[in-house]
């Protein structure tokens, strides 16, 4: 959703802001936002935002600070007459859509699986795997440990996958490739800034970061 909104923001900025320094500033702030948003979701510090927008205002929530800066640029454009009423409405709605997508990601990142759910899953798996040999011993004989081990591997593996998928923005093999997504936005907005699009992020050992 954010990639689609960023592409639309690039087109709408061309349409409503024209070839102005303010349009370039808006798009650079948008690129800064996606990197700040990525860093916030992964709970890391990242300086790529400064590569696009320079020094950003300090605040409790850097991604929102970048969006606020875009809002101030649009307000200034409306005041000096370079942005008409229809353009104000379209760009404001686009910022709102970006904010909704941002909030949705943060809700997922900040809402872990309930502890009681994880506890129940692991305790149930342990109990099942400990009692399973008693039900297999008469039919499986000496192969009982093999069958019990296979079943335990499957159930404990599924439990671990569930735990990992509860953190989709982490830098894990099953996490979302946020670096590649940010690069996609950079590629999409580069023509609007008159820049040569960078190369897409390539997998390392078959994994995108």
């Amino acid at each position: 959703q954010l990639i689609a909104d960023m592409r639309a923001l690039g087109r709408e900025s061309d349409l409503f802001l024209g070839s102005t320094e303010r349009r370039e500033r808006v798009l650079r702030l948008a690129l800064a936002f996606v990197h700040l948003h990525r860093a916030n979701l992964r709970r890391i510090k990242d300086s790529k935002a400064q590569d696009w927008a320079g020094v950003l205002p300090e605040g409790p929530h850097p991604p929102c600070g970048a969006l606020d800066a875009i809002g101030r640029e649009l307000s200034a454009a409306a005041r000096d007459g370079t942005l008409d009423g229809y353009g104000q409405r379209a760009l404001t709605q686009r910022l709102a859509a970006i904010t909704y997508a941002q909030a949705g990601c943060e809700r997922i990142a900040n809402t872990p699986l309930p502890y009681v759910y994880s506890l129940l899953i692991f305790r149930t798996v342990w109990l099942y795997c400990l009692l399973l040999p008693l039900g297999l011993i008469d039919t499986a004989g000496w192969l009982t440990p093999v069958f019990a081990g296979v079943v335990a591997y499957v159930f404990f593996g599924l439990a671990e996958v569930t735990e990992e998928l509860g953190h989709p923005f982490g830098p894990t093999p099953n996490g979302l490739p946020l670096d590649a997504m940010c690069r996609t936005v950079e590629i999409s907005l580069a023509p609007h800034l008159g820049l040569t699009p960078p190369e897409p992020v390539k997998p390392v050992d078959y994994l995108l970061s």
Side-chain angles (χ1 to χ4, degrees), residues 85 100 134 153:
Y100 289 141
L134 300 179
Y153 171 79

Side-chain angles (χ1 to χ4, degrees), residues 12 21 23 27 57 64 113 127-128 133 137 139 143 148 153 156 174 182 187 201 208:
E12 290 166 356
E21 291 183 5
R23 178 189 61 82
L27 295 181
C64 284
L113 291 173
L127 184 62
Y128 181 80
I137 189 67
T139 54
L143 287 175
Y153 171 79
F156 279 110
N174 292 312
C182 288
I187 293 170
V201 174
L208 277 175

Side-chain angles (χ1 to χ4, degrees), residues 7-158:
R7 287 170 173 168
L9 179 65
R11 299 186 189 102
E12 290 166 356
S13 296
D14 286 349
L15 180 61
F16 297 118
L17 293 174
S19 299
T20 62
E21 291 183 5
R22 182 162 285 124
R23 178 189 61 82
E24 181 175 343
R25 175 67 176 164
V26 165
L27 295 181
R28 286 185 173 275
L29 284 168
L31 287 167
F33 161 76
V34 295
H35 284 290
L36 291 170
H37 184 46
R38 171 180 58 83
N40 181 61
L41 292 175
R42 286 189 168 171
R43 295 177 175 82
I44 60 174
K45 289 187 176 180
D46 191 273
S47 61
K48 290 184 179 179
Q50 295 180 356
D51 296 340
W52 288 106
V55 179
L56 292 164
E58 295 290 336
H61 197 275
C64 284
L67 292 180
D68 291 342
I70 293 176
R72 288 192 292 271
E73 291 291 336
L74 297 180
S75 296
R79 285 194 301 270
D80 63 23
T82 57
L83 181 62
D84 61 21
Y86 189 82
Q88 292 178 51
R89 180 179 176 82
L91 290 170
T92 300
Q93 289 177 337
R94 185 62 55 197
L95 278 183
I98 291 170
T99 302
Y100 289 141
Q102 173 198 13
C105 293
E106 290 175 350
R107 182 175 65 249
I108 295 171
N110 297 324
T111 309
L113 291 173
Y115 175 69
V116 66
Y117 173 83
S118 301
L119 184 64
L120 180 63
I121 289 293
F122 276 101
R123 284 185 176 178
T124 303
V125 170
W126 271 108
L127 184 62
Y128 181 80
C129 291
L130 287 174
L131 296 179
L132 180 63
L134 300 179
L136 293 177
I137 189 67
D138 289 337
T139 54
W142 64 272
L143 287 175
T144 296
V146 177
F147 290 129
V150 171
V151 172
Y153 171 79
V154 172
F155 278 100
F156 279 110
L158 289 174

Side-chain angles (χ1 to χ4, degrees), residues 172-177 180 201-209:
T172 61
N174 292 312
L176 292 172
V201 174
K202 298 199 181 335
V204 176
D205 295 330
Y206 304 101
L207 293 175
L208 277 175
S209 62

